[in-house]
Amino acid sequence: MGLLDITDLTVEFPTRRRLFTAVDALNLKVNPGEIHGLVGESGAGKSTVGAAVMGLLDPPGRIAKGNIVFKNQLVDTSDGAVMHALRGRRISMIFQDPLTSLNPLLTIGDQLTETIRANLQVSASDADGRARELLDRVGIPDPDSRLNQYPHQFSGGMRQRVVIALALCSEPDVIIADEPTTALDVAIQAQILDLIRDVVDERKVGVILITHDMGVIANTTDRVTVMYRGKVVETGPTAKILSAPEHAYTQSLIAAVPRPHKKVHRFPRINYDGDDPDFAIEDLARDWPRYDNAPGKPLLSVRDLTKRFIEKRSLLPWGNRYFTAVDQLSFDIMPGEVLGLVGESGSGKSTVARMIAGLYKVDGGRVTFDGDLVSDLSNRKVQRAYRQEIQMIFQDPFSSLNPRMRVDQIVAEPLRHHRLLSGQDIPDRVGELLEQVGLGADARLKYPHEFSGGQRQRIAIARALATQPRFLICDEPTSALDVSIQAQILNILKDLQDHLGLTILFISHALPVVRQMCDRVAVMRRGQIVELADSEQLFTAPKHDYTKELLRLTPRTENMFEKPEA
Amino acid sequence: MSALSRFWDSDFAWDFRHSPVAVVSFLVALLLVLSAVFAPLIATMNPFVPANLNLMNGFTAPGVPNQFTNETFLLGTDDQGRDVYSTILYGMRISLFVGFAAVALGMIIGVTLGLIAGYFGGWTDAVIMRIADVQLTFPSILVAMLIFGVAKGITPVEYRDQLAIWVLILSIGLSDWVQFARVVRGATMVEKQKEYVQAARLIGRGALPILTRHILPNVLSPVLVIATISLALAIIAEATLSFLGVGAPSTQPSLGTLIRIGQGFLFSGEWWILFFPSVTLLALALSVNLLGDWLRDALNPKLK
Amino acid sequence: MVTYIFRRILQSILVLLVVGLVAFAMFTFIGDPIDNMLGQERTQEDIDRLRGVLGLDQPFVVQYVKFVISAMQGNFGVSYEQGRPVAQILAERAPATLELAAVSALFALSLGVVLGVYTAIHRKGFVANLVLTLSLIGVSLPTFLIGILLIYLFSVQLDWLPSFGRGETVDLGGWTTGFLTSSGMRALILPSITLGLYQMTLIMRLVRSEMMEVMRQDYIRFARARGLSERAITFRHALKNTMVPVITVTGLQLGSLIAFAIITETVFQWPGMGLLFINAIKFVDIPVMAAYLMLISVMFVGINLIVDLLYVSIDPRLRT
């Protein structure tokens, strides 16, 4: 018997239209000193498992069936008193977002001692000492003064350490960690995962690590359970599942993970549930305009680009404190090239994209496109021409399409605005575009909420291609998508570049993705480029220490199963 | 037809059908609005045409034949022999007209300024919101009274009664825009950050099409909620002003004016002159309030 | 933090200057004070002399500055209707309104917060739903109707409490109080319930919705997952976070009590500033209107400053 044994767990959410089964007859066993990964794409039901075990299901969710056995004792999750005795004392939980997990109005010390005293029968001064010990244990320097501080005085990584300290307050036997590093940068992610590993080894607790990230699974877990639409498709030791998965879904899921150590031509087609429609790139390429580009002359050129934001507003305008988000940045993009811009959050990469796109005013420097100065927003003639030449694919396909507009209105907006077509030609062209991105012409009468994330990103691509632009900015185009959808979208972007000769600025925080997409890569840190090199060279022989550090911290996936390319 | 059936099948319509409070309050509000609109058809008389009145009918109790004329009035009569049932119907016309018009005025001003402040930010935003803050310093009823007082000071005496209704609409409407502006500004600032707005800017769309075609449709649900609650508040505000004698004149009485008149007979036993207009006002305000309360929950995605 | 408070004080002064401008504009553009102060028999000489005395021949800005200075010294001119200094009239009336508003505020705040927390915790309970339904009726009942209802019930039918006036008052050197006599206290009951009921329901509904909002936050889920008791979660974690938005709105609400007193004072013939103001509107007595406006905004700005300080003491994020 394991520490925690979940058998036949079924969780249902009755809605008015149907009964939604979020978790379907799940079995899961956690042993002491073991990290058990629970992996799946969005909607797989993995977080629901965690909430069900803790008795924290949001209404109207309910456990329809199944047993949860903790230390050989059957747990009745419907019994409030039983759950209260278990929660926090024997089973703890870590949530995804350290920003919202801590009460902003209480000091860290208050929140720790309160939790310690709620769970262990100790005096106030003992609790205080224990709080100090815990902060020290999770690697927070100077715990004495830190205890009296409030959450907003901690950085994101430090806050997640505090959250872990809170979860450890009562020496729990099991910790459920729900996407504990998803909101963090790669460097912090590695530290937090190391910390969890240390705690497990030291105290022999069992951990259920819920994540969507195969890299995290590969580097941290001992065993893994793969979920798909509420059901377990495969479970076993991590090394075995990752190198030799048996189930077709696991195989396709692992094959779709971008590898940092080598570039693939195209990702293998994942057709597990048939949601990978064809993208008719040849049709699109047939009447795409061709440009004669002077060789060696950049299409887009950025010189000394600078942006400052007000950090702290003062009483008087000239007393404001500024924060330099982008600091005298210069680079060129050649016609037909994909340039990657990579960096951690706050490095200024998205700000660069928005300045090039003319969404932010530049505070210094200039941007020229095909010889025209486009960073001067007041030159209407140049701006109007430039707007037809560039387009952008955004991060979140749930926010980049206006929910109150029909798909045909969305795709037609650029055509109408630039008066490229008129009359019946507009709906005809919209229908063609939607066919070409693989959605079918009847998609045009629907609203965005009727589509999945991948389909929405295709609509966004159709809109971006409507004016037949020469230059495409992709701002984290796949970071909000599941890994299988990410593979589809990346394949489409590769096609666009190969067949249409599009020039692309590709922005991402994920090094493996950048390696798959880009010809050259610029690494950004604190508003500056620390290294700019050919992609293969940068990944195989990085020069700058920061680049080396980023590459070192990226989860290793070399020994993962690889499906031959389609 | 498909749009109608799709609406019928939507979560919103389903929630409505399954909330007895919402259905009942909607029906009550609808009944009151319709009876006010069709007052000339369903009233027994127009009580504000002196020729229709018979002083002998004064102070007839509800449902009891008058001792002199032997006429019976469902809800009784007031001191001048006006049928209370008819005065309520005509009074409600004024109350509802002022209410709807004032909310429309406040909504147009507030939504426009809110969109502008939220989208452009900077100085425009600072100026608009500081004005809103200053106005918020005073309760809307006081602002309405001030505007009423000022308007009274400017208008010539002989037009005062004629203009009273319009002055009321202006004063309640102007005291009401801040709510709309604040909410729309907040929602606009959220929407402005969303990528669909950035996408529209990238295409080259100007501020006006972005505000009207992209942002406005996405901030309408909170506006709808506030408009409903504001309607109840405007009806109450109008009644309060008229009750205080600084609103609808007795030649064009609203429910508030009727209550002010009725209050004088409270101690002398003619309770019906006060009671029925009060109950009507309560039913009107309560049904609209309940509807607004339900709307707020139904349109709040967080509560799902 | 010092910057924050300093900025709030600057903003308050700005608000007062703007209100002053509105009040002053009312003086200047509505009705002619000369008309109001001189009778029918007047000569052009009289008019010119009075213009000079009142400073009406000076530029607008100069007049405004003079107005602000004299307002700061408590000089608001002479009432058109009563012919006495406005400041003197207001000083006589202020105690009645302030005592009424204070009692109402206490009533609204204490009951509002308690009922709000109760209805938020027992969301599905019978009592909570009953209180909520009653509160909607409370919001839908205009203040004056509540007053009339209470008078009818407790004065006309039961004859327990007086239906108008302040009862016996005691003069404490310029401040007349009703707190020291039993008739004064009895006279306060109905008006303060009338005045406070609407604010009470608003505060209650606000506390309830904010609390329910807070209860959905991640840190509450995390607190629950850490095994804290429901008691600790409700009162230590949820209530404190609820208070941050509640304090702002409550501050505004309590400030508006003084202005809302206009209605209550009319219903109960309560000899306060509100009754004075409503008469001033009827007679277009601009100096009284303007002075009342200034007085209300001074009180309001004061309350807002206190609210800001409370804010800082609750929310550590503002202290840095």
Side-chain angles (χ1 to χ4, degrees):
Chain A
M1 282 309 253
L3 188 58
L4 182 70
D5 258 295
I6 305 170
T7 45
D8 203 25
L9 179 72
T10 302
V11 180
E12 293 172 345
F13 285 79
T15 66
R16 80 163 164 107
R17 288 177 208 276
R18 66 198 178 96
L19 186 70
F20 173 65
T21 308
V23 179
D24 194 355
L26 169 127
N27 297 311
L28 190 93
K29 196 167 101 176
V30 186
N31 295 312
E34 173 186 271
I35 301 183
H36 193 120
L38 190 57
V39 71
E41 299 186 288
S42 54
K46 50 193 193 300
S47 289
T48 312
V49 174
V53 173
M54 295 297 284
L56 290 174
L57 280 175
D58 288 323
R62 58 171 190 236
I63 296 179
K65 214 168 58 188
N67 290 325
I68 295 170
V69 177
F70 176 73
K71 284 193 164 174
N72 297 327
Q73 288 241 304
L74 187 64
V75 177
D76 180 3
T77 47
S78 63
D79 185 332
V82 171
M83 287 318 290
H84 189 248
L86 213 58
R87 264 205 304 261
R89 288 176 181 75
R90 307 271 47 101
I91 308 180
S92 285
M93 195 155 181
I94 300 167
F95 289 98
Q96 172 175 348
D97 192 353
L99 282 172
T100 56
S101 295
L102 298 171
N103 187 336
L105 304 186
L106 294 178
T107 63
I108 298 302
D110 280 347
Q111 300 191 47
L112 278 164
T113 46
E114 148 191 82
T115 312
I116 293 165
R117 298 199 71 194
N119 292 309
L120 308 171
Q121 304 304 317
V122 292
S123 70
S125 63
D126 285 354
D128 208 46
R130 187 165 162 71
R132 202 156 295 156
E133 253 170 59
L134 280 167
L135 281 193
D136 195 44
R137 174 63 201 92
V138 296
I140 291 177
D142 192 16
D144 285 322
S145 60
R146 286 299 219 171
L147 276 176
N148 294 320
Q149 293 186 338
Y150 291 91
H152 73 273
Q153 292 164 301
F154 288 70
S155 68
M158 283 294 165
R159 272 190 229 193
Q160 197 63 311
R161 287 174 190 269
V162 173
V163 169
I164 293 174
L166 279 164
L168 291 176
C169 275
S170 57
E171 302 278 354
D173 299 306
V174 174
I175 297 174
I176 299 172
D178 190 353
E179 303 270 10
T181 58
T182 306
L184 304 173
D185 278 326
V186 59
I188 318 269
Q189 163 171 309
Q191 294 168 11
I192 296 292
L193 291 175
D194 283 349
L195 175 61
I196 293 178
R197 180 83 253 177
D198 285 355
V199 166
V200 168
D201 291 345
E202 189 182 296
R203 310 191 180 201
K204 294 294 167 222
V205 297
V207 169
I208 300 179
L209 181 71
I210 299 166
T211 182
H212 69 283
D213 188 337
M214 277 294 173
V216 170
I217 292 287
N219 283 263
T220 318
T221 62
D222 304 303
R223 292 175 71 79
V224 63
T225 294
V226 184
M227 284 183 81
Y228 178 71
R229 301 215 172 146
K231 289 194 171 70
V232 171
V233 295
E234 203 164 354
T235 183
T238 304
K240 182 185 160 291
I241 298 274
L242 291 186
S243 58
E246 282 169 12
H247 195 277
Y249 175 71
T250 320
Q251 289 176 1
S252 61
L253 188 67
I254 295 173
V257 175
R259 310 298 152 93
H261 61 282
K262 73 173 235 237
K263 183 167 181 170
V264 297
H265 176 64
R266 291 288 184 276
F267 289 93
R269 288 286 290 264
I270 302 155
N271 223 340
Y272 182 69
D273 56 1
D275 186 30
D276 186 10
D278 281 321
F279 187 86
I281 188 68
E282 281 82 14
D283 291 352
L284 194 62
R286 207 174 304 125
D287 26 71
W288 197 269
R290 302 283 159 179
Y291 298 92
D292 292 325
N293 295 305
K297 208 175 141 222
L299 179 67
L300 185 105
S301 161
V302 170
R303 287 288 171 275
D304 299 328
L305 198 62
T306 301
K307 182 75 194 173
R308 281 185 295 271
F309 292 112
I310 293 176
E311 191 181 22
K312 199 170 177 190
R313 207 172 275 280
S314 157
L315 218 51
L316 301 164
W318 49 88
N320 289 344
R321 206 158 69 206
Y322 288 93
F323 159 72
T324 307
V326 176
D327 194 2
Q328 302 191 350
L329 211 67
S330 300
F331 60 85
D332 290 327
I333 306 181
M334 296 297 159
E337 180 189 44
V338 182
L339 178 76
L341 205 52
V342 67
E344 300 190 286
S345 56
S347 62
K349 52 191 194 304
S350 282
T351 311
V352 172
R354 278 166 167 66
M355 280 194 284
I356 293 175
L359 298 174
Y360 285 165
K361 235 177 73 186
V362 303
D363 287 335
R366 58 202 161 80
V367 180
T368 47
F369 179 82
D370 204 13
D372 290 324
L373 180 71
V374 293
S375 50
D376 173 19
L377 299 178
S378 59
N379 187 336
R380 293 196 166 232
K381 201 166 144 259
V382 168
Q383 285 298 318
R384 197 168 172 85
Y386 182 51
R387 298 261 154 252
Q388 287 185 42
E389 305 270 29
I390 71 151
Q391 271 301 329
M392 196 158 166
I393 311 276
F394 294 92
Q395 173 176 2
D396 182 2
F398 286 87
S399 123
S400 68
L401 305 176
N402 186 338
R404 305 276 165 162
M405 274 167 92
R406 259 198 343 249
V407 169
D408 58 343
Q409 296 171 318
I410 291 172
V411 178
E413 193 178 19
L415 294 171
R416 288 184 203 278
H417 177 74
H418 291 293
R419 302 204 180 82
L420 297 175
L421 295 170
S422 60
Q424 183 56 37
D425 290 345
I426 292 176
D428 289 350
R429 180 82 191 109
V430 169
E432 263 173 51
L433 277 166
L434 290 172
E435 292 274 9
Q436 284 160 356
V437 297
L439 285 174
D442 47 340
R444 63 179 146 196
L445 295 180
K446 294 186 184 167
Y447 284 88
H449 72 261
E450 296 171 70
F451 296 92
S452 68
Q455 290 173 322
R456 282 159 163 255
Q457 203 60 306
R458 282 166 188 262
I459 296 170
I461 290 174
R463 171 178 60 190
L465 297 178
T467 57
Q468 303 193 314
R470 287 161 78 185
F471 180 54
L472 198 60
I473 299 170
C474 300
D475 188 3
E476 303 262 11
T478 60
S479 58
L481 301 174
D482 278 326
V483 60
S484 61
I485 311 291
Q486 165 171 290
Q488 285 177 31
I489 299 295
L490 291 180
N491 279 348
I492 292 176
L493 292 174
K494 279 167 173 269
D495 280 352
L496 290 178
Q497 199 244 341
D498 282 358
H499 292 257
L500 307 180
L502 276 184
T503 311
I504 297 177
L505 176 63
F506 190 92
I507 292 162
S508 179
H509 69 283
L511 287 164
V513 174
V514 168
R515 178 157 204 189
Q516 303 308 317
M517 287 303 301
C518 304
D519 303 318
R520 286 194 301 148
V521 177
V523 180
M524 274 190 80
R525 184 192 200 188
R526 291 182 198 144
Q528 289 174 323
I529 291 179
V530 297
E531 185 167 1
L532 175 63
D534 279 350
S535 175
E536 290 310 300
Q537 195 193 338
L538 187 111
F539 279 91
T540 49
K543 291 208 173 66
H544 195 278
D545 286 346
Y546 181 65
T547 316
K548 287 179 193 163
E549 176 75 0
L550 281 182
L551 282 171
R552 189 179 68 75
L553 293 167
T554 304
R556 306 249 71 96
T557 48
E558 284 93 338
N559 47 7
M560 288 205 313
F561 165 83
E562 282 185 30
K563 207 175 185 176
E565 282 182 31
Chain B
M1 194 56 221
S2 78
L4 200 68
S5 64
R6 203 190 291 184
F7 175 75
W8 181 253
D9 193 46
S10 67
D11 286 343
F12 181 77
W14 192 88
D15 278 357
F16 180 76
R17 293 200 301 277
H18 287 77
S19 163
V21 174
V23 173
V24 169
S25 51
F26 178 74
L27 289 178
V28 169
L30 192 70
L31 180 80
L32 290 171
V33 171
L34 286 179
S35 51
V37 170
F38 296 108
L41 299 178
I42 56 173
T44 56
M45 57 156 121
N46 182 346
F48 305 109
V49 177
N52 292 345
L53 301 180
N54 181 354
L55 270 182
M56 300 291 279
N57 278 331
F59 295 128
T60 313
V64 181
N66 181 281
Q67 49 177 329
F68 308 109
T69 63
N70 217 26
E71 286 184 62
T72 315
F73 298 90
L74 182 63
L75 303 181
T77 62
D78 67 4
D79 54 335
Q80 299 177 47
R82 291 188 288 216
D83 173 26
V84 171
Y85 165 70
S86 303
T87 56
I88 287 175
L89 287 181
Y90 278 88
M92 204 158 60
R93 260 167 100 91
I94 304 282
S95 291
L96 278 170
F97 175 68
V98 172
F100 275 112
V103 170
L105 179 67
M107 186 161 77
I108 290 167
I109 299 173
V111 170
T112 311
L113 291 180
L115 281 174
I116 291 171
Y119 187 72
F120 293 104
W123 272 106
T124 332
D125 178 41
V127 170
I128 293 176
M129 291 332 282
R130 282 299 88 74
I131 295 174
D133 281 353
V134 172
Q135 181 163 337
L136 212 65
T137 309
F138 306 98
S140 56
I141 194 89
L142 180 67
V143 175
M145 276 182 207
L146 273 173
I147 297 171
F148 191 90
V150 170
K152 199 173 172 182
I154 313 175
T155 48
V157 181
E158 56 272 31
Y159 294 117
R160 274 186 192 166
D161 270 11
Q162 272 175 285
L163 289 175
I165 297 295
W166 299 103
V167 170
L168 258 182
I169 291 170
L170 190 74
S171 47
I172 297 175
L174 286 182
S175 70
D176 201 34
W177 67 275
V178 178
Q179 288 295 333
F180 289 98
R182 284 169 75 99
V183 168
V184 169
R185 171 181 175 266
T188 303
M189 283 166 64
V190 173
E191 294 298 316
K192 179 173 83 165
Q193 297 302 323
K194 291 202 179 153
E195 290 167 349
Y196 73 87
V197 175
Q198 315 242 3
R201 287 179 57 200
L202 197 81
I203 292 167
R205 298 294 259 169
L208 191 66
I210 287 179
L211 281 175
T212 53
R213 287 183 47 85
H214 287 279
I215 295 181
L216 183 62
N218 283 294
V219 300
L220 276 184
S221 23
V223 170
L224 187 66
V225 173
I226 301 180
T228 314
I229 293 167
S230 288
L231 179 63
L233 288 175
I235 291 169
I236 292 174
E238 185 280 326
T240 305
L241 290 174
S242 297
F243 172 80
L244 295 174
V246 292
S250 43
T251 51
Q252 271 180 305
S254 69
L255 289 175
T257 324
L258 295 179
I259 293 168
R260 177 171 55 122
I261 296 167
Q263 193 198 9
F265 306 107
L266 182 61
F267 297 95
S268 52
E270 288 87 10
W271 54 272
W272 59 89
I273 307 175
L274 173 68
F275 181 72
F276 293 114
S278 307
V279 169
T280 313
L281 179 64
L282 177 62
L284 196 60
L286 186 60
S287 59
V288 176
N289 257 334
L290 284 169
L291 214 52
D293 208 47
W294 172 81
L295 262 183
R296 176 171 39 203
D297 290 351
L299 293 178
N300 185 351
K302 279 192 231 150
L303 292 178
K304 293 273 168 189
Chain C
M1 183 180 92
V2 180
T3 340
Y4 171 76
I5 290 172
F6 191 61
R7 185 180 305 153
R8 298 303 307 204
I9 292 176
L10 272 186
Q11 276 178 2
S12 309
I13 293 173
L14 196 73
V15 167
L16 287 179
L17 285 177
V18 171
V19 174
L21 191 65
V22 172
F24 175 66
M26 284 168 56
F27 262 120
T28 321
F29 299 117
I30 302 163
D32 191 348
I34 308 288
D35 271 352
N36 287 302
M37 293 175 85
L38 296 176
Q40 288 297 317
E41 289 156 33
R42 58 188 179 193
T43 61
Q44 189 59 42
E45 208 172 284
D46 285 341
I47 292 174
D48 288 343
R49 186 176 47 78
L50 195 58
R51 268 189 193 286
V53 169
L54 293 177
L56 293 179
D57 48 356
Q58 287 165 326
F60 183 82
V61 180
V62 176
Q63 289 191 48
Y64 174 56
V65 171
K66 283 192 169 176
F67 170 81
V68 169
I69 291 170
S70 60
M72 273 170 16
Q73 294 162 340
N75 181 4
F76 292 98
V78 175
S79 160
Y80 296 162
E81 190 204 354
Q82 300 190 30
R84 291 195 298 146
V86 174
Q88 191 188 334
I89 304 176
L90 279 175
E92 286 168 18
R93 298 289 196 117
T97 300
L98 291 179
E99 286 187 355
L100 174 62
V103 175
S104 307
L106 199 67
F107 162 71
L109 201 59
S110 49
L111 210 58
V113 172
V114 169
L115 287 179
V117 172
Y118 180 84
T119 49
I121 300 173
H122 306 270
R123 282 179 64 180
K124 303 257 190 271
F126 172 75
V127 180
N129 275 318
L130 187 75
V131 170
L132 271 179
T133 314
L134 285 177
S135 81
L136 257 184
I137 296 179
V139 177
S140 308
L141 262 179
T143 310
F144 63 90
L145 265 185
I146 297 173
I148 294 173
L149 198 74
L150 289 178
I151 291 178
Y152 185 72
L153 213 63
F154 293 100
S155 305
V156 179
Q157 291 298 321
L158 298 171
D159 199 19
W160 288 353
L161 296 164
S163 65
F164 67 91
R166 284 185 84 186
E168 282 173 49
T169 55
V170 179
D171 194 335
L172 302 172
W175 182 281
T176 54
T177 178
F179 286 149
L180 296 178
T181 63
S182 70
S183 92
M185 292 296 275
R186 271 158 40 90
L188 255 170
I189 296 175
L190 290 185
S192 47
I193 291 176
T194 308
L195 183 55
L197 201 61
Y198 180 72
Q199 314 295 332
M200 193 274 280
T201 50
L202 280 188
I203 291 172
M204 179 196 112
R205 295 175 71 80
L206 182 77
V207 169
R208 173 177 174 270
S209 67
E210 289 297 340
M211 186 123 176
M212 278 161 54
E213 181 73 40
V214 168
M215 289 301 240
R216 275 197 294 274
Q217 300 294 318
D218 269 359
Y219 54 79
I220 298 294
R221 272 174 71 91
F222 187 42
R224 224 169 243 147
R226 300 204 301 268
L228 300 186
S229 67
E230 278 305 310
R231 230 183 112 84
I233 289 171
T234 310
F235 291 102
R236 228 172 112 78
H237 290 262
L239 192 59
K240 203 168 177 190
N241 278 287
T242 304
M243 280 307 141
V244 176
V246 167
I247 281 176
T248 339
V249 180
T250 308
L252 287 174
Q253 291 304 328
L254 295 184
S256 65
L257 273 177
I258 296 166
F260 266 111
I262 297 169
I263 305 160
T264 312
E265 288 179 12
T266 312
V267 176
F268 288 93
Q269 289 302 303
W270 189 265
M273 296 187 291
L275 207 56
L276 184 75
F277 178 69
I278 200 77
N279 280 322
I281 287 186
K282 286 181 187 161
F283 289 98
V284 198
D285 191 347
I286 297 292
V288 174
M289 283 163 74
Y292 180 78
L293 193 63
M294 291 300 291
L295 199 69
I296 292 274
S297 50
V298 168
M299 287 180 189
F300 223 89
V301 162
I303 289 175
N304 270 345
L305 269 178
I306 295 170
V307 164
D308 285 338
L309 290 176
L310 272 178
Y311 236 22
V312 175
S313 77
I314 287 190
D315 195 335
R317 284 165 293 190
L318 292 175
R319 270 179 239 153
T320 42

